Amino acid sequence: MRQEINRVVERILREDFAQAPLNLSERKSLLGEIEDEVLGLGPLEPYIKDPTVNDILVNGYRNIYVERRGILELTPARFKDDDHLRKIIDRIVSRVGRRVDESSPMVDARLADGSRVNAIIPPLAIDGPSLSIRKFSKDPLELDDLIRFGALPPEIGEVLKGIVHCSLNVLISGGTGSGKTTMLNVLSRFIPEEERIVTIEDAAELQLKQAHVVRLETRPMNIEGRGEVTQRELVKNCLRMRPDRIIIGEVRGAEALDMLQAMNTGHDGSLATIHANTPRDALMRLETMVAMAGLNISDVSLKRYVSSAIDVIIQVSRLMDGSRKLISFQEITGMEGEMITMQEIFAFEQSGLDERGKVKGRFVARGIRPKFSERLLARGVALDQHLFAPLGGAV
């Protein structure tokens, strides 16, 4: 197709625009733009291919922003008009069997490389169609990459390997763009190859490297208002698929109840993410979601249900300079009265900003030996107890 486009464009330039004053670089640029328009995503294609771009944000056809290294910048690119932008949106969503129109003006989709896409059009978007693309690397980040970027220290990395390998239930909490999905991908690397993994997502974006993986994705209702398949239905279904591990891309509704039931009935080692600013907020949101599912039990029983299901909460955050870090690693230890009790094992303590505006701080251990260390030892994973010791102190 690219060769054919090349031939046609060269013929048109030669025959119809023989007097056009275009040098070689201008001809190449024109050819590239036409190829992107026909085969790719038009003005967005250069930024899709740019590995330094993390997010692409389109505010109407005139304004295209990108995020590089945590900083938003306005690009010189633009669409011709709203219809041009709508065509690109339709091209993206149609490839994954989704649709966007006046009856369904919001849509979540994904690109071929797994990048997450959200589009919203008029009448909901007042100033014209809006498009947001969260890019994912073709080569997913590994634990060593997070350590190199300063997202966490090697000591915490060793603990993360142990808790996933030994099937602790882990909840990853954080705000938008804080790196929850990246952390989930990294943790999934430590699941043994021989285990069967089932993933459940609204828009499939996880990049697991194991061979024995079944990927499930929700489906919106059709134009007649039928055919919707929710995350809760997929969680119920996956329990009949003999999973060793259940990974939920993001818990956001009544599926929280079925996830907790799975964790409490033998499906250990489950992983999930949730939107929350602190580990305590994550528990509150989880309790609210379970209550939404209509489980008719007392608040105390609900809290006991949550505390017995979740073992560890990992809080990730995007800091002022755009960097993403693991800022808290907490173990749920049970109940005390009517309160779920937690103990912080590791934390990131920010001390300020340097002259370049970069966050300064250090990772610290709280000097607490976690209860799950005995469970890890029983599974043959012996962590060095000095990992949990504060500087110059003992556990």
Side-chain angles (χ1 to χ4, degrees), residues 204-229:
E205 59 193 32
L206 292 174
Q207 299 167 294
L208 274 66
K209 291 189 174 181
Q210 286 86 344
H212 199 166
V213 178
V214 179
R215 303 170 70 206
L216 305 180
E217 186 179 55
T218 62
R219 187 177 71 183
M221 64 180 66
N222 60 21
I223 198 166
E224 289 94 19
R226 296 194 297 267
E228 181 182 19
V229 179

Side-chain angles (χ1 to χ4, degrees), residues 117-130:
V117 179
N118 177 270
I120 184 166
I121 65 172
L124 300 187
I126 298 172
D127 299 321
S130 177

Side-chain angles (χ1 to χ4, degrees), residues 162-187:
I163 64 174
V164 175
H165 184 79
C166 294
S167 301
L168 269 65
N169 293 321
V170 180
L171 189 64
I172 301 168
S173 168
T176 301
S178 59
K180 298 187 299 298
T181 303
T182 299
M183 179 64 72
L184 186 58
N185 269 321
V186 168
L187 294 185

Side-chain angles (χ1 to χ4, degrees), residues 248-291:
I248 301 179
E250 183 181 332
V251 182
R252 61 180 73 188
E255 69 273 4
L257 170 60
D258 302 279
M259 179 192 76
L260 294 176
Q261 286 179 332
M263 291 176 173
N264 274 318
T265 54
H267 293 89
D268 294 331
S270 297
L271 305 172
T273 71
I274 190 170
H275 270 281
N277 292 325
T278 67
R280 182 63 64 183
D281 288 347
L283 289 178
M284 292 172 58
R285 281 209 70 205
L286 204 55
E287 293 166 23
T288 303
M289 292 174 189
V290 174

Side-chain angles (χ1 to χ4, degrees), residues 317-361:
S317 182
R318 176 176 171 172
L319 305 182
M320 293 176 61
D321 60 356
S323 64
R324 297 165 174 87
K325 294 185 186 295
L326 186 156
I327 61 169
S328 183
F329 181 105
Q330 301 215 15
E331 178 189 29
I332 293 182
T333 56
M335 292 282 295
E336 188 172 305
E338 298 184 1
M339 179 71 71
I340 298 176
T341 56
M342 296 187 291
Q343 56 186 14
E344 190 170 62
I345 310 301
F346 301 105
F348 176 77
E349 293 182 348
Q350 182 176 339
S351 57
L353 301 174
D354 63 17
E355 61 277 2
R356 296 177 300 165
K358 298 294 183 181
V359 168
K360 294 193 300 182

Side-chain angles (χ1 to χ4, degrees), residues 276-315:
N277 292 325
T278 67
R280 182 63 64 183
D281 288 347
L283 289 178
M284 292 172 58
R285 281 209 70 205
L286 204 55
E287 293 166 23
T288 303
M289 292 174 189
V290 174
M292 289 166 52
L295 189 62
N296 190 21
I297 61 174
S298 67
D299 289 344
V300 175
S301 298
L302 176 55
K303 291 177 185 292
R304 292 188 185 279
Y305 200 62
V306 172
S307 67
S308 64
I310 306 294
D311 297 306
V312 170
I313 298 180
I314 297 170
Q315 184 72 35

Side-chain angles (χ1 to χ4, degrees), residues 12-26:
I12 292 174
L13 287 175
R14 187 172 58 253
E15 297 176 0
D16 299 347
F17 296 91
Q19 305 304 317
L22 297 178
N23 59 34
L24 182 60
S25 64
E26 289 170 335

